[in-house]
Amino acid sequence: DVQLVESGGGLVKPGGSLRLSCVASGFQFGHYHMAWVRQAPGEEPQWVSHISFTGAYIYYADSVRGRFTVSRDNAENSVSLQMNSLRVEDTAVYYCARDLGDPGHMDVWGHGTTVTVSS
Amino acid sequence: AIQMTQSPSSLSASVGDSVSITCRASQDITRDLSWYQQKPGKAPKILVFEASRLLSGVPSRFSGSGSGTDFTLTISGLQPEDFATYYCLQEFNYPPTFGQGTTLEIK
């Protein structure tokens, strides 16, 4: 089965850091772009970042640029999101998703991992 | 960033009804729009891509239409499992942006 599994969420204080990971299975990971999307409670999803299938092209939402870094390891079928200088407004469920374009529609989503930024 | 204005924000309907949800883009996005269904506590699930193409396995009661700035998702003959929140997403350029969502409730 095609699957994405996120991990790494948790409770962190403002200014702190977290690293999210997403492991893929069931498809040729290295052939696909990947994206991170977050969703704050009661809000619509918000696109966070895109990384191309080789990792050569990376894009960020303005709200996270300079604080978040996306990377991937095609040998390990994984994509990561390093989140630094976290703010209360970064509190959300974070999903990784397979991105079929540049940008494109997202056809496979993980179950999400919850990040809570609070003092 | 391209703004996506989705309406209505909520909708009450009965099983068997047909409903339509619209999304309007703040600029021409050709047909670079997809629709997602989300149930509480779950990830969004894609239904339609390129404005009108149904993903494999999605029931044919779902249909998408539109191009340019105006798009519609129609559900013909609502089933109990269709009561959920629906979002549009423009993928014309970065940053991709979602509509605010439409919550479909049972009347």
Side-chain angles (χ1 to χ4, degrees):
Chain A
D1 281 0
V2 174
Q3 195 173 9
L4 297 170
V5 179
E6 303 95 335
S7 61
L11 173 64
V12 62
K13 288 182 167 49
S17 297
L18 273 179
R19 185 177 182 88
L20 307 184
S21 293
C22 170
V23 176
S25 59
F27 65 98
Q28 290 192 283
F29 180 74
H31 290 192
Y32 289 90
H33 308 312
M34 296 296 294
W36 286 94
V37 176
R38 68 184 182 184
Q39 188 170 28
E43 301 288 319
E44 69 270 24
Q46 180 191 27
W47 173 85
V48 172
S49 182
H50 165 106
I51 183 166
S52 65
F53 65 97
T54 63
Y57 298 97
I58 288 172
Y59 303 91
Y60 296 102
D62 287 347
S63 57
V64 308
R65 188 177 295 111
R67 301 186 299 121
F68 290 13
T69 302
V70 65
S71 60
R72 66 188 294 159
D73 183 338
N74 287 346
E76 296 292 328
N77 291 344
S78 68
V79 58
S80 297
L81 187 68
Q82 176 66 42
M83 305 187 297
N84 298 331
S85 304
L86 281 162
R87 304 169 179 167
V88 170
E89 54 265 34
D90 295 319
T91 295
V93 176
Y94 284 72
Y95 299 99
C96 67
R98 189 169 76 174
D99 189 342
L100 295 188
D102 182 22
H105 60 279
M106 290 170 273
D107 71 331
V108 179
W109 294 64
H111 57 83
T113 188
T114 300
V115 172
T116 303
V117 185
S118 174
S119 55
Chain B
I2 298 173
Q3 312 262 357
M4 300 302 297
T5 303
Q6 191 172 336
S7 62
S9 57
S10 64
L11 188 52
S12 291
S14 302
V15 172
D17 286 351
S18 293
V19 297
S20 291
I21 299 167
T22 64
C23 256
R24 175 163 287 176
S26 59
Q27 66 180 72
D28 188 338
I29 59 169
T30 63
R31 296 177 61 81
D32 292 337
L33 182 115
S34 48
W35 289 98
Y36 299 80
Q37 177 193 69
Q38 188 176 32
K39 296 183 178 178
K42 300 294 188 181
K45 172 190 169 187
I46 188 169
L47 301 173
V48 172
F49 63 103
E50 293 176 8
S52 61
R53 298 181 66 182
L54 226 58
L55 210 74
S56 175
V58 173
S60 59
R61 61 181 179 271
F62 291 91
S63 63
S65 63
S67 65
T69 60
D70 293 311
F71 301 86
T72 301
L73 176 71
T74 299
I75 314 171
S76 302
L78 280 167
Q79 296 300 301
E81 60 268 29
D82 299 337
F83 292 92
T85 301
Y86 294 84
Y87 297 98
C88 61
L89 169 69
Q90 71 80 15
E91 316 124 15
F92 181 74
N93 64 14
Y94 288 103
T97 42
F98 289 86
Q100 305 97 314
T102 296
T103 299
L104 180 53
E105 299 167 327
I106 300 176
K107 187 183 289 184

